Structures are given as C-alpha cells and as structure tokens.
C-alpha cells in the first residue's frame, strides 16, 4: 500500500505544479487579450468610449475568475501536501519546482 501512495504522490508532485503554471499562463493570455482589446478601441478612429465596454467587462470578469481558480488550486496544493505528510509520512519541506521545460515563474516584488 505504501508503494501505491508513493506512486500517487510522485504523480501529484508533477501535475499540481503543472496545473498552477497553466493557470498562470491562462491569466497572462487573458491579460494580453484585455490590453489588445482596450488598445484597439482607443486606437480605432471614430469608436466611442462606450463601444466594447461589455466585452471589456467580460474579459475583466474572466481575469477575476482565473485569479479565483488560481487561489483554489494553491489551496488544493497545500491540502494535498498536508495529506501526504499525514498518510504517507512524506517529508515534504518544499514542493518540487515545475518541470524544467515549463514557463518561467514571475518573481514576487516586496
């Protein structure tokens, strides 16, 4: 049974950080979309400021939803680490980094 727990833990240690990175990628993509839509509206002659407002608001709501999803997955990550320590005796001081081929992480600014 212990062996199966270790196999599951190893798989989770790969897929959880990958999911976190993919959510970050989606947030970056939606943010880029927002910038492009607002820039296009501003730079298109004769387009009133109110035009496209509903679209911009939908993009902002999508961004907020992704921030919520990111927080939920981070909490899931913590929950799974706790479960690993409690059930498998795993010594998880620090979660592994995202796979080397994954996207770069954004540094936190204090």
């Amino acid at each position: 049974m212990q062996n199966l727990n270790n196999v599951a833990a190893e798989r989770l240690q790969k897929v959880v950080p990958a999911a976190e990175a993919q959510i970050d990628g989606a947030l970056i993509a939606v943010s880029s979309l927002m910038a492009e839509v607002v820039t296009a509206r501003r730079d298109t002659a004769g387009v009133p400021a109110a035009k496209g407002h509903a679209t911009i608001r939908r993009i902002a709501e999508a961004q907020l939803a992704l921030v919520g999803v990111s927080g939920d997955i981070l909490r899931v990550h913590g929950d799974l680490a706790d479960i690993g320590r409690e059930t498998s005796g795993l010594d998880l001081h620090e979660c592994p980094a995202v796979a080397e081929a994954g996207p770069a992480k954004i540094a936190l600014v204090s």
Side-chain angles (χ1 to χ4, degrees):
M1 189 67 145
Q2 181 70 14
N3 191 21
L4 290 177
N5 287 343
N6 289 340
V7 170
E10 288 175 15
R11 289 174 43 197
L12 287 168
Q13 287 173 346
K14 292 176 185 174
V15 298
V16 172
E20 292 168 346
Q22 289 176 0
I23 293 166
D24 285 347
L27 186 55
I28 291 167
V30 171
S31 297
S32 295
L33 174 62
M34 173 69 87
E36 291 298 326
V37 168
V38 173
T39 300
R41 181 179 70 168
R42 181 196 65 197
D43 294 346
T44 304
V47 175
K51 195 66 159 177
H53 179 75
T55 298
I56 292 167
R57 196 174 94 211
R58 282 188 203 100
I59 295 170
E61 289 171 358
Q63 284 176 314
L64 187 56
L66 284 169
V67 170
V69 168
S70 178
D72 288 341
I73 296 302
L74 289 172
R75 283 186 286 282
V76 164
H77 190 154
D79 292 345
L80 290 171
D82 290 345
I83 291 168
R85 279 189 291 274
E86 292 170 6
T87 61
S88 299
L90 298 176
D91 189 15
L92 301 174
H93 295 293
E94 190 172 305
C95 291
V98 177
E100 286 76 26
K105 292 287 186 184
I106 298 172
L108 293 175
V109 179
S110 320

